[in-house]
Amino acid sequence: MKHAPIRALALLTTGLLTGAFGYGAANLVPTFHRVPLQMRLEFHTELMQNNSISMQLTMAAAALSCLALAFVQTGRDRVLAAAATVLVVGSFLITRLGNVPINHKINAWAVDGAPADYAAILERWDFFHFLRTGTALAAFALIIALVVWCSGEAKREFRRASEGVGVTVD
């Protein structure tokens, strides 16, 4: 069975997830800290409405592609793909149980005003965001390792499948 397309999909989706979270960590979070609170709340609310579907789809695609890769691999590659799956699911759980409840509070604050302890709650949102970014990055790193250090036959198969999309494996 040919596994290169599944490897490529796992690489792509974990990279997209890491990139999306990483952009938020590197650019959005610092910007949130520099703008007036009401601007942050309004922008955060709009951003989360736009991100809701795309980020859920990206997390699902990353989890499913890593899981599929774990099923078709053997040995060390299976362990790497399974660990990447766990990390992507971890990113989802951190988002769902950590960030999303705070997002709902932020939505209300944008209309009703923030409570006195808003800074501590926003700090917790940042913590969860950096945590999910780290788990996504770790999953991406595992998939990169799996692709880079895969067997010679798997490398040749991956090269054939990735020709024309700009992915190279030495």
Side-chain angles (χ1 to χ4, degrees):
M1 182 173 174
K2 300 204 181 274
H3 305 134
I6 299 171
R7 284 178 190 258
L9 185 60
L11 186 62
L12 173 66
T13 57
T14 57
L16 287 172
L17 183 63
T18 302
F21 284 152
Y23 178 83
N27 297 296
L28 293 176
V29 170
T31 302
F32 282 160
H33 290 261
R34 289 192 301 268
V35 299
L37 178 61
Q38 189 59 36
M39 182 183 290
R40 176 194 177 153
L41 298 177
E42 290 172 7
F43 182 77
H44 192 113
T45 297
E46 289 299 319
L47 182 65
M48 293 311 118
Q49 287 176 356
N50 287 331
N51 278 355
S52 180
I53 298 297
S54 63
M55 289 307 296
Q56 288 180 56
L57 289 173
T58 304
M59 284 186 273
L64 291 173
S65 62
C66 290
L67 183 62
L69 192 55
F71 275 113
V72 300
Q73 295 297 287
T74 59
R76 179 199 65 199
D77 289 354
R78 175 174 280 167
V79 171
L80 291 175
T85 303
V86 169
L87 288 163
V88 171
V89 170
S91 291
F92 170 77
L93 291 173
I94 292 164
T95 300
R96 193 74 189 117
L97 302 174
N99 295 94
V100 169
I102 297 171
N103 289 344
H104 293 309
K105 290 178 183 183
I106 291 171
N107 293 345
W109 299 348
V111 175
D112 302 329
D117 65 340
Y118 77 89
I121 297 169
L122 292 177
E123 250 180 60
R124 223 169 54 242
W125 188 94
D126 291 349
F127 170 76
F128 289 131
H129 182 70
F130 289 121
L131 187 59
R132 69 185 178 176
T133 301
T135 57
L137 178 60
F140 185 40
L142 289 175
I143 297 300
I144 290 170
L146 191 150
V147 169
V148 169
W149 293 308
C150 59
S151 69
E153 184 177 330
K155 275 187 183 180
R156 286 187 295 280
E157 184 182 326
F158 186 78
R159 269 196 202 101
R160 284 190 302 272
S162 61
E163 286 176 358
V165 292
V167 176
T168 59
V169 177
D170 291 327

